[in-house]
Amino acid sequence: MLLIECPYCGPRDETEYHYGGEAHVPYPEDPFELSDREWAEYLFYRNNPKGLLKERWVHTVGCRRWFNVVRDTASYEITAVYRMGENAPQPGGQ
Amino acid sequence: MAETPTTDLTALRRSPLESLAEAMREGSVTGPRAVALREIPFLAMAGIRVTPGTDAARALCDVVGLELPERVGRVTGSPEATALLWQGPDEYLLVAPDETEVPAGLHERELEPGALPSLSTHPLVARLSSALAASGERGQVVDLSANRTTLELTGPAAREVLEKGCPLDLHPREFAVGEAVSTTLGPVQVLLWRTGEERWRVMPRASFARYTALWLLDAMLEFASPAVA
């Protein structure tokens, strides 16, 4: 069980959240310009690193807000939590 | 007006747990590990979305006569009268005593869309809608009275009953009297509001109310017997 710190509600159990996939995947400026291949890559292709991944979570049963989490996909350690619209904290610095 | 419409809506409504009232009375436990369950039906509730610090927020606070709660867990006002519960950084839940009044003009035919600021039958909620509209700022006031019902769990064993199915730390050092949070009880999303040292309000959505009440009754059963050492 992960203990995730909601930026608004504080630490809560993983069961209170839902996962939203990788964060910072920008919507294409003009989707009609995209080829089928590019559109498919926007929809379905994601980074799959062994290590730190920026991802989105939503506090479904609490404040219902989306926010970002930096999580190590191997150790499950959460190294940062930040709000929507904010930039990810740089590792090692604030 | 050709016919006089019904104005006493309270005669028509049914609370979600009406059929379980007797089961909850019988399921309440006495003795050293007492715990009792009952429904507080028909509390008025309104969802308020407004950015704190704006004119709209001040206008709404003036109407309710309370400040907005500042952060998670916080509640302003009192459970017996009117209270504002923190739901999110710009989202609040108003809980107020039942009061039903059909808005004037609702029965007029040929009503223009938007002619009434609110279709709520609660006078306070209607006043809030008018105040928000007059402020000219963005926000939301929605009557949610039928969304959730309120269960009240009381007694020395009440916290132990809740701890069987709630992931939060309910010990007083973490969960003070007067606080309210959104969380889960068993699999059900509820608002949990500690209104006294041994008094809790559990507010599930109406369609989950029966399940939640039966879950609580089952959880209370063991407290009729002495604790197993």
Side-chain angles (χ1 to χ4, degrees), chain A residues 25-46:
Chain A
V25 178
Y27 188 75
E29 289 250 336
D30 183 359
F32 295 99
E33 288 288 299
L34 266 53
S35 66
D36 285 354
R37 183 188 179 85
E38 287 168 325
W39 180 244
E41 285 183 357
Y42 160 69
L43 284 182
F44 304 118
Y45 281 52
R46 294 292 181 266

Side-chain angles (χ1 to χ4, degrees), chain B residues 52-137:
Chain B
T54 57
D55 288 344
R58 274 185 288 277
L60 294 181
C61 286
D62 287 347
V63 173
V64 186
L66 296 170
E67 291 296 310
L68 293 176
E70 281 174 359
R71 57 182 178 84
V72 62
R74 291 296 161 87
V75 176
T76 55
S78 86
E80 287 73 31
T82 304
L84 283 171
L85 279 61
W86 189 96
Q87 297 278 278
D90 61 354
E91 188 171 1
Y92 309 90
L93 183 74
L94 173 90
V95 180
D98 176 32
E99 201 178 334
T100 301
E101 189 181 285
V102 177
L106 189 64
H107 294 300
E108 280 171 30
R109 285 152 212 271
E110 314 283 326
L111 212 54
E112 288 286 317
L116 295 172
S118 169
L119 299 178
S120 171
T121 53
H122 196 277
L124 177 57
V125 179
R127 284 209 305 282
L128 284 169
S129 290
S130 302
L132 182 64
S135 80
E137 291 187 11

